[in-house]
Amino acid sequence: MESQFPVIVIGAGPIGLAAAVHLLERGQAVRVLEAGASAGAAIKAWGHIKLFSTWRYNIDEASRRLLETPTEHYAGDWEAPNPKRLPTGAELVSEYLEPLAAHPQLREVIGYGQRVSSVSRVGADGSGLDKGRSADRDDSLFLVRVETADGTTELTARAVIDASGTWEKPNPIGRSGLSALGEDTARDLGFITSPLPDPLDADAERFAGKKVLVLGAGHSAANTLILLGRLKQQNPETQILWGLRGQANPVRLYGGGSADELPARGQLGTSLRRQVETGQVTQLEHVSVRELRSAERLQVLLADGRELEVDFVVPATGFRPELGMLSELRLDLDLAVEAPRELGPLIDPEFHSCGTVSAHGERVLAHPEKNFYIAGMKSYGRAPTFLLATGYEQVRSLAAALSGDRAAADQVELDLPETGVCSTDSGNSCDVPAVGAKANTCSPEASEEPAQEESCCSAPTPVSFGLATGTQHGFAELAERQ
């Protein structure tokens, strides 16, 4: 009976589309549900941002085969972008995702404007199986409730892959993981911007000459700070504050510099350091937001008694997975990171910042709920350490497992670039180096920064495991904010 029903993939971003292609390549029935109006809809919200990784790491191999192979109804004339070039989010969509979604084999199975609101189980006779029902659960179908412009509908599936990303659920800017007092009002009044605004184009007039507080210590914050710095060069009256939350140490936020094998990522930290040292950006430490008061400007009240008055706050504070839609499923999640339990401790930014990454597939991503998987950025929960290539290998393994090819599902491989810095207990995500570490024995040209501040790692090598085990985490990659 199961074979009569499709695998439902939630999300038509890079990982969701790759999952669909791998399943179709194995002859499986697929249906893709996308909340937006087009493939990669969420990526368009930060289309002005360049990825750190070149095209080499951003194209799924099964998707490449599909796009380059002529068929009776398809010319196969897609030309892959230069593998050494860095795409923007907009280019990732226009040069790859849109052609992929338009392919004859894919376009018929993708539904747009279809937002999944809940996933549960249903018996063969149509009787419901809530979270508490165990009898015949593994053999039952999934019930997927979908909101559309025409109303609510329900679909059934033999398996579900949730690749919906985390873009629509940013972390609050308040302390302790909670919204600050008055945060919702401040957001409604426009004092709180999107996580990745466009200060040089769409938001230039809005930010010019204003006082802007950027909260966060990752690549999203760095991108925004650098763009604001360029705006300040054109409009010197613009004021830029960089608020570091918690115990973040500013020295370790600048990355691996020239030792990073993704040069754009290394240059990001170098540029940000220069802006701080030249006074373009004013750095504030231990910024724990207690309350926001909205008036003509925004008053930001901190837990230590300090008060700031700004025009805008940019919440580059990371994202978290939307788990409410999965509340009737039996998930096994890491208590801290909210990733699958086996994956969580291996990507937890409290303990891991090393650039090496082990491949992981179906066994690591599995839950007690048979044939349900979370893939892509959402699979990393609250950890900001994801790269597209990691997600492509995830869904290749999932498609193999769902097709009954256990050997292919377990043979996971991945080849990723180093960050140029290495630590397993840094207290932050892998986009920052360890501080105070002695330099490893590397090439003296590996970094332009002082050896006592940073350490370098060995060159990357392909990782292959019969079973997906080992230390696993990736990089703060923007591309999977879908």
Side-chain angles (χ1 to χ4, degrees):
M1 179 190 70
E2 271 195 354
S3 61
Q4 303 173 20
F5 297 89
V7 177
I8 284 183
V9 177
I10 306 174
I15 306 306
L17 291 182
V21 173
H22 280 279
L23 287 162
L24 289 171
E25 194 173 62
R26 288 180 170 273
Q28 303 298 305
V30 182
R31 184 161 184 177
V32 181
L33 305 178
E34 166 57 43
S38 62
I43 296 177
K44 293 180 180 180
W46 51 267
H48 59 290
I49 298 291
K50 275 194 174 184
L51 279 68
F52 305 119
S53 52
T54 62
W55 275 110
R56 170 191 170 192
Y57 296 102
N58 295 325
I59 297 176
D60 168 64
E61 287 307 309
S63 301
R64 182 193 298 274
R65 289 192 294 272
L66 184 69
L67 286 167
E68 292 180 343
T69 303
T71 67
E72 181 181 355
H73 302 291
Y74 176 71
D77 54 356
W78 178 78
E79 293 186 10
N82 184 336
K84 297 182 179 180
R85 184 165 62 86
L86 294 169
T88 62
E91 289 168 341
L92 181 70
V93 173
S94 64
E95 297 181 33
Y96 173 51
L97 297 183
E98 287 180 347
L100 182 60
H103 190 283
Q105 288 192 39
L106 268 185
R107 66 186 177 209
E108 299 301 323
V109 303
I110 303 174
Y112 299 107
Q114 300 190 19
R115 180 177 296 277
V116 174
S117 59
S118 56
V119 183
S120 189
R121 289 277 198 175
V122 65
D125 60 356
S127 59
L129 294 174
D130 63 20
K131 197 173 190 174
R133 293 281 300 277
S134 298
D136 301 321
R137 189 174 189 87
D138 285 352
D139 297 323
S140 65
L141 296 170
F142 287 93
L143 180 68
V144 181
R145 182 166 292 176
V146 185
E147 309 297 333
T148 72
D150 297 323
T152 303
T153 187
E154 292 181 336
L155 306 172
T156 50
R158 72 176 186 89
V160 174
I161 298 175
D162 183 355
S164 59
T166 58
W167 174 256
E168 292 189 350
K169 196 169 178 64
N171 287 326
I173 67 175
R175 56 183 174 172
S176 305
L178 305 176
S179 296
L181 300 175
E183 182 171 338
D184 292 342
T185 298
R187 181 173 283 105
D188 291 343
L189 292 174
F191 288 116
I192 301 176
T193 74
S194 75
L196 281 168
D198 187 0
L200 296 182
D201 192 358
D203 297 309
E205 184 175 349
R206 183 184 186 192
F207 286 147
K210 302 297 185 180
K211 189 173 185 178
V212 183
L213 170 63
V214 179
L215 291 175
H219 289 131
S220 296
N223 266 301
T224 298
L225 288 163
I226 290 170
L227 294 177
L228 284 169
R230 294 174 185 167
L231 178 68
K232 182 178 175 67
Q233 292 175 354
Q234 304 168 14
N235 299 271
E237 65 277 18
T238 305
Q239 300 178 65
I240 310 167
L241 304 180
W242 179 16
L244 302 178
R245 307 198 306 165
Q247 300 299 315
N249 188 316
V251 177
R252 59 196 304 184
L253 304 179
Y254 299 121
S258 60
D260 195 319
E261 293 192 359
L262 292 180
R265 183 174 55 200
Q267 181 60 39
L268 190 72
T270 302
S271 299
L272 180 55
R273 181 194 293 266
R274 186 179 303 116
Q275 289 206 8
V276 172
E277 291 175 345
T278 59
Q280 290 282 96
V281 171
T282 300
Q283 197 174 82
L284 304 174
E285 297 184 34
H286 307 295
V287 174
S288 180
V289 179
R290 180 175 61 84
E291 183 177 357
L292 300 175
R293 295 178 182 173
S294 301
E296 290 188 10
R297 302 179 83 191
L298 183 67
Q299 285 185 294
V300 182
L301 281 62
L302 306 184
D304 60 8
R306 286 178 291 171
E307 295 185 13
L308 308 173
E309 189 173 70
V310 301
D311 294 295
F312 298 106
V313 173
V314 179
T317 50
F319 301 82
R320 59 181 62 177
E322 169 53 64
L323 299 175
M325 60 189 275
L326 310 178
S327 62
E328 287 302 324
L329 299 180
R330 297 179 176 182
L331 305 183
D332 188 17
L333 298 174
D334 177 78
L335 294 178
V337 184
E338 294 183 323
R341 185 174 296 277
E342 287 193 39
L343 180 59
L346 307 175
I347 59 173
D348 189 339
E350 283 283 312
F351 303 103
H352 295 281
S353 68
C354 189
T356 54
V357 58
S358 298
H360 56 277
E362 190 272 343
R363 289 191 187 272
V364 166
L365 298 174
H367 291 279
E369 199 72 71
K370 184 181 177 182
N371 291 339
F372 173 81
Y373 304 96
I374 302 174
M377 186 69 213
K378 189 171 182 177
S379 73
Y380 272 47
R382 299 190 182 204
T385 51
F386 183 78
L387 191 70
L388 280 181
T390 306
Y392 294 152
E393 181 61 7
Q394 286 180 343
V395 295
R396 184 209 59 77
S397 175
L398 296 182
L402 290 171
S403 303
D405 190 346
R406 188 72 258 171
D410 288 342
Q411 191 65 31
V412 287
E413 300 180 354
L414 198 58
D415 183 5
L416 295 177
E418 289 282 6
T419 63
V421 293
C422 187
S423 171
T424 56
D425 59 352
S426 69
N428 210 315
S429 62
C430 63
D431 55 305
V432 298
V435 178
K438 299 295 183 182
N440 293 337
T441 53
C442 331
S443 166
E445 294 81 24
S447 176
E448 297 176 354
E449 306 300 334
Q452 67 269 21
E453 292 183 355
E454 302 179 359
S455 61
C456 57
C457 300
S458 58
T461 57
V463 179
S464 176
F465 291 90
L467 296 179
T469 59
T471 303
Q472 305 164 40
H473 56 92
F475 308 108
E477 170 61 70
L478 296 174
E480 184 52 14
R481 306 295 193 190
Q482 56 186 31

